[in-house]
Amino acid sequence: MTSTGGMVRLVAAPPQQDGTIPATLEVKLNPGWKTYWREPGASGIPPQITLDPTEGVVLDKIGFPVPKTFDDGVVHYVGYDKSVAFPLTLKRVHGDGDVNIRASVFLGICEDICIPVQGKLELTLKQGDFDNPLDAARIDGAVAALPEAPSEEFKVTTAVYDEQKAAVELTLQLPPDRGSDHRELFLAGPSGVAFGKPVVTQTSGAELRAEIPVRLSAKDKTLKGKPVILTVRAGERSMETTLAFD
């Protein structure tokens, strides 16, 4: 699938014994073009993938590498300015023999303005075929580029939603050798929840405190009980976790 700003393609490996199909959605960008993260900000279209259910394959999860913040003084958005691969976890839920994957893809690619890109991608995995080493390397590389899980040296230590301020207040433990490196925070919530630009309120060694404005448009006007995905960049490392507020 091609557009003015680049090319989009699907790469997949043969099903594993449990029916899981490792795959990636690759977005190859032309120079000067960008695409978007799961929560693009005020403008932009995040990648959306819908599989044809008649083929017996479902999408369990889409992964997102750590993005960048872009701000030209007018528009603030979050995404990627280089080619990117989004790891997909697909699963075969019924059928046997060859695997047919039919996906409808919708995403935004932008230069000066966002251009919606929409189309269908089809891929057949022949029964008994061996893994293609190049495709397997692409999938492994995409998975390796995802943010790491929380650890003792890189984690959220406190997360509070202040209803009066309409803000999330976070304290993070950063890797000891990354405390002063380039740091960025990205938050994504369910429909009806939007986040403003994070403001770092305090840094001390490898500890960081930040406040993120919250805008609620859902009817219940609360963040309690709603999962929020936090992605943190600290130098060359990144971490992702899900926050829950009581």
Side-chain angles (χ1 to χ4, degrees), residues 103-155:
S104 296
V105 178
F106 183 53
L107 72 163
I109 295 178
C110 77
E111 189 176 33
D112 297 321
I113 60 172
C114 179
I115 298 175
V117 177
Q118 187 170 11
K120 294 187 181 296
L121 297 175
E122 297 188 11
L123 184 65
T124 297
L125 304 173
K126 295 290 186 180
Q127 185 179 31
D129 274 2
F130 293 102
D131 285 354
N132 181 316
L134 294 179
D135 287 347
R138 290 188 180 97
I139 295 169
D140 289 346
V143 172
L146 292 177
E148 61 192 76
S151 62
E152 282 303 310
E153 67 172 15
F154 198 178
K155 64 181 179 179

Side-chain angles (χ1 to χ4, degrees), residues 38-118:
R38 56 160 60 96
E39 181 58 63
S43 65
I45 303 169
Q48 301 166 50
I49 306 168
T50 304
L51 298 187
D52 182 348
T54 63
E55 298 296 345
V57 179
V58 298
L59 173 64
D60 274 355
K61 184 179 179 181
I62 176 171
F64 290 81
V66 63
K68 295 171 62 176
T69 298
F70 300 92
D71 193 338
D72 60 8
V74 178
V75 179
H76 170 87
Y77 60 92
V78 178
Y80 311 90
D81 59 357
K82 296 180 180 178
S83 296
V84 60
F86 302 101
L88 308 176
T89 302
L90 310 181
K91 191 156 189 177
R92 191 176 203 182
V93 293
H94 64 77
D96 51 26
D98 297 347
V99 179
N100 297 309
I101 302 172
R102 295 182 180 177
S104 296
V105 178
F106 183 53
L107 72 163
I109 295 178
C110 77
E111 189 176 33
D112 297 321
I113 60 172
C114 179
I115 298 175
V117 177
Q118 187 170 11

